[in-house]
């Protein structure tokens, strides 16, 4: 096999730059979809179920796209870039139309399209690092991806707030998404497409060493489903143990993405989403009362999205510190992950009793410590327990432990809030905190493998 040449900083930067757009899409989706759903009339306890599209599409799309991209070669676009382009076009269209949804179910359908499209672009990005970089540069490549993920999360999470500060209206009539959110999603669509094009236009791919043999092999039909089932049944014990850790970790973050807006606007800001049906719009005083309550909710939702951005900023800094430390000293990944999950759990629990909304910055910064570890340590703990020749399929199976807890949360979180917590949405974040503490406890059964370079993993959804 021909040795891969070392790449310069700018070559690696351009190769990873498309992640900026992908993270813009994820951050706008994660920070503002519940706000759009509530504006269109969704009850807060129905939000997790409306979010079920995201994990379901991840469960279906991620392994299929990974399988197809391994078996693709386009004479001009190469192996991974056709999927970058298709995903970017579909994601940009969905981002533009999402805040213009006239009804709740159209918005839910567009979320399905958006999440599937983002996954089409995102999954091949993981393989591109292995395709392009020699072994000694891969950790460096993942560090740059982590940096771009953090920047994208922070900027996109603050977009509606920043646009409102420029004078774009932050409120609208009943059932209408404010112009500031519409502009933010349009900017997100542009950034998504532009950043993906930077990677496509500046990053050539290496063709298969024997192109004719590659094409002949792709003509042979394999039993993809049977192969996955076989490896699920025979997965390494370390993967099963880490699967429990991942289950509680991703349940916590799905609860945050779907319920942070209603939970924090009503509990911390005292500005819940008003129900238009409770106001008689034909009476001027009633219409003015609705507008006042809606303005308070929209402003609070802006700040919730802005504060959420700090978990992306925090995760970027923590991931960089971990990577620089691990490059020089042995790192006890199990201990680091346990400590990070505990800090994230404390961050979530603190949201229940913060004395002032600005304190949420510190809460989300602690959550970001857990997020940085979740994006890296489980993969480091797993890597030495998986055969190198089966790394791709096992990493695809490992993603099941990411999407299954999100599906569980989507179906059970709303009923649990109604049955046990008087339908107070802030308790979804308390559940997130408890879930991260359980994830840290589940690490007791995980083995700490022999020291190896820590591979920082790109974001899964």
């Amino acid at each position: 096999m021909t040795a891969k040449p070392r790449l310069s900083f700018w070559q690696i930067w351009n190769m990873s730059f498309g992640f900026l757009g992908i993270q813009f899409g994820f951050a706008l989706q994660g920070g503002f979809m519940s706000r759009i759903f509530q504006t269109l009339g969704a009850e807060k306890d129905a939000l997790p179920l409306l979010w079920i599209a995201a994990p379901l599409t991840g469960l279906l799309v991620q392994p299929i796209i990974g399988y197809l991209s391994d078996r693709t070669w386009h004479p001009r676009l190469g192996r991974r870039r056709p999927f970058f382009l298709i995903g970017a076009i579909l994601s940009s269209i969905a981002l533009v139309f999402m805040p213009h949804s006239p009804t709740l179910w159209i918005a839910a359908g567009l979320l399905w399209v958006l999440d599937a499209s983002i996954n089409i672009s995102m999954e091949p990005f993981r393989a591109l690092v292995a395709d392009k970089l020699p072994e000694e540069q891969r950790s460096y490549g993942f560090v740059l991806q982590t940096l771009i993920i953090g920047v994208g999360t922070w900027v996109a999470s603050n977009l509606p707030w920043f646009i409102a500060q420029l004078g774009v209206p932050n409120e609208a009539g009943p059932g209408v998404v404010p112009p500031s959110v519409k502009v933010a999603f349009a900017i997100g669509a542009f950034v998504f497409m532009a950043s993906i094009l930077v990677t496509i236009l500046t990053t050539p791919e290496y063709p298969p060493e024997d192109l004719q043999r590659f094409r002949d092999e792709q003509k042979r039909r394999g039993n993809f489903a049977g192969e996955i089932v076989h490896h699920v049944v025979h997965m390494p014990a370390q993967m099963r143990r880490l699967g429990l850790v991942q289950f509680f970790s991703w349940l916590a973050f799905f609860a945050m993405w779907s319920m942070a807006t209603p939970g924090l606007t009503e509990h911390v800001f005292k500005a819940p989403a008003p129900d238009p049906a409770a106001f008689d719009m034909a009476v001027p005083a009633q219409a003015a009362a609705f507008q006042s309550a809606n303005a308070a909710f929209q402003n609070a939702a802006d700040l919730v999205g802005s504060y959420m951005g700090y978990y992306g900023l925090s995760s970027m800094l923590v991931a960089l510190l971990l990577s620089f430390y691990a490059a020089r000293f042995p790192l006890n990944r199990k201990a680091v992950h346990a400590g990070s999950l505990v800090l994230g759990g404390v961050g979530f629990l603190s949201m229940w009793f913060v004395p002032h909304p600005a304190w949420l910055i510190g809460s989300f910064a602690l959550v970001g410590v857990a997020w940085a570890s979740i994006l890296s340590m489980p993969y480091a703990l797993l890597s030495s327990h998986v055969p190198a020749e089966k790394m791709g399929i096992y990493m695809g199976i490992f993603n099941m432990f990411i999407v299954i807890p999100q599906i569980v949360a989507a179906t059970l979180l709303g009923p649990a809030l109604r049955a046990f917590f008087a339908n107070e949405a802030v308790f979804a974040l308390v559940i997130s905190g408890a879930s991260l503490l359980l994830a840290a406890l589940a690490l007791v059964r995980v083995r700490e493998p022999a020291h190896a370079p820590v591979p920082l993993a790109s974001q899964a959804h």
Side-chain angles (χ1 to χ4, degrees):
M1 182 179 291
T2 305
K4 297 171 184 173
R6 291 177 62 86
L7 301 186
S8 68
F9 168 83
W10 286 113
Q11 287 174 311
I12 299 174
W13 176 268
N14 289 336
M15 181 181 72
S16 301
F17 193 72
F19 251 108
L20 181 69
I22 290 171
Q23 198 56 37
F24 256 70
F26 271 133
L28 289 171
Q29 172 185 296
F32 301 100
M33 274 313 305
S34 288
R35 176 181 180 179
I36 291 174
F37 287 152
Q38 284 191 284
T39 300
L40 293 173
E43 297 292 336
K44 61 187 177 184
D45 57 346
L47 292 174
L49 196 57
L50 289 168
W51 269 83
I52 200 170
L56 279 178
T57 51
L59 184 65
L60 295 172
V61 171
Q62 289 176 4
I64 293 172
I65 293 300
Y67 180 81
L68 292 176
S69 71
D70 279 343
R71 289 156 177 77
T72 295
W73 181 258
H74 187 276
R76 295 188 66 181
L77 291 175
R79 175 177 295 175
R80 316 294 179 186
R81 291 182 296 167
F83 297 92
F84 299 166
L85 184 59
I86 293 169
I89 292 172
L90 294 175
S91 297
S92 297
I93 292 171
L95 283 167
V96 168
F97 284 100
M98 176 71 75
H100 295 272
S101 300
T103 65
L104 184 60
W105 293 108
I106 289 178
L110 282 172
L111 174 60
W112 200 297
V113 173
L114 175 62
D115 204 79
S117 304
I118 292 174
N119 274 287
I120 291 171
S121 285
M122 185 185 73
E123 284 307 302
F125 257 102
R126 297 175 176 173
L128 186 65
V129 172
D131 291 346
K132 291 283 294 181
L133 294 180
E135 181 66 33
E136 65 272 16
Q137 281 196 303
R138 287 180 187 173
S139 291
Y140 184 46
F142 282 123
V143 166
L144 286 182
Q145 283 190 356
T146 306
L147 171 65
I148 291 169
I149 286 171
V151 171
T153 299
W154 185 74
V155 175
S157 297
N158 280 282
L159 260 184
W161 172 84
F162 179 71
I163 290 167
Q165 300 307 302
L166 295 178
V168 178
N170 194 39
E171 54 188 275
V176 179
V177 177
S180 60
V181 177
K182 293 176 179 177
V183 172
F185 272 67
I187 292 173
F190 173 79
V191 173
F192 200 123
M193 195 71 219
S195 63
I196 290 287
L197 285 176
V198 168
T199 293
I200 290 174
L201 296 175
T202 62
T203 306
E205 296 188 71
Y206 304 135
E209 293 188 9
D210 188 336
L211 188 56
Q212 187 56 49
R213 181 181 175 186
F214 175 85
R215 288 171 174 162
D216 291 342
E217 288 177 350
Q218 307 326 306
K219 294 176 183 177
R220 303 191 190 103
R221 300 178 69 112
N223 186 359
F224 177 53
E227 188 176 355
I228 290 179
V229 171
H230 172 80
H231 285 93
V232 168
V233 173
H234 297 93
M235 72 174 66
Q238 180 84 337
M239 183 180 288
R240 288 196 299 272
R241 295 175 186 134
L242 279 167
L244 187 61
V245 180
Q246 292 286 83
F247 179 90
F248 288 118
S249 300
W250 285 88
L251 188 150
F253 275 86
F254 181 85
M256 178 191 75
W257 292 324
S258 61
M259 299 302 290
T261 295
L264 296 176
T265 53
E266 70 178 32
H267 181 75
V268 178
F269 289 88
K270 312 301 181 186
D275 180 6
F279 298 84
D280 185 352
M281 297 301 173
V283 178
Q286 290 279 302
F290 173 82
Q291 290 294 340
S292 177
N294 188 48
F297 167 70
Q298 299 293 351
N299 290 330
D302 268 355
L303 286 173
V304 169
S306 177
Y307 292 157
M308 282 182 70
Y310 283 92
Y311 92 85
L313 198 62
S314 170
S315 68
M316 175 192 70
L317 297 174
V318 171
L320 289 172
L321 289 173
L322 284 176
S323 63
F324 292 146
Y325 182 91
R328 293 163 176 79
F329 308 103
L331 185 68
N332 187 317
R333 288 151 284 189
K334 179 177 172 179
V336 167
H337 197 37
S340 299
L341 291 173
V342 169
L343 288 175
V346 171
F348 276 124
L349 293 173
S350 71
M351 296 178 190
W352 188 26
F353 52 82
V354 291
H356 187 274
W359 285 60
L360 288 172
I361 294 174
S363 299
F364 279 113
L366 288 176
V367 169
V369 175
W371 185 237
S373 189
I374 288 168
L375 294 182
S376 55
M377 293 300 113
Y379 298 89
L381 287 163
L382 179 65
S383 59
S384 60
H385 293 265
V386 174
E389 66 274 11
K390 297 181 179 180
M391 187 69 71
I393 191 166
Y394 273 125
M395 286 301 176
I397 292 169
F398 197 48
N399 280 345
M400 292 169 56
F401 298 116
I402 293 174
V403 296
I404 289 174
Q406 296 182 60
I407 295 171
V408 171
T411 53
L412 298 182
L413 189 56
L417 291 174
R418 288 194 302 271
F420 303 110
F421 300 104
N423 208 23
E424 293 188 37
V426 71
F427 283 99
L429 302 174
V430 175
I431 291 172
S432 292
S435 190
L436 284 188
L437 296 180
L438 288 172
L441 187 62
L443 273 167
V444 170
R445 297 181 64 246
V446 174
R447 292 170 53 195
E448 169 67 22
H451 175 64
V454 177
L456 291 177
S458 58
Q459 179 179 0
H461 194 270

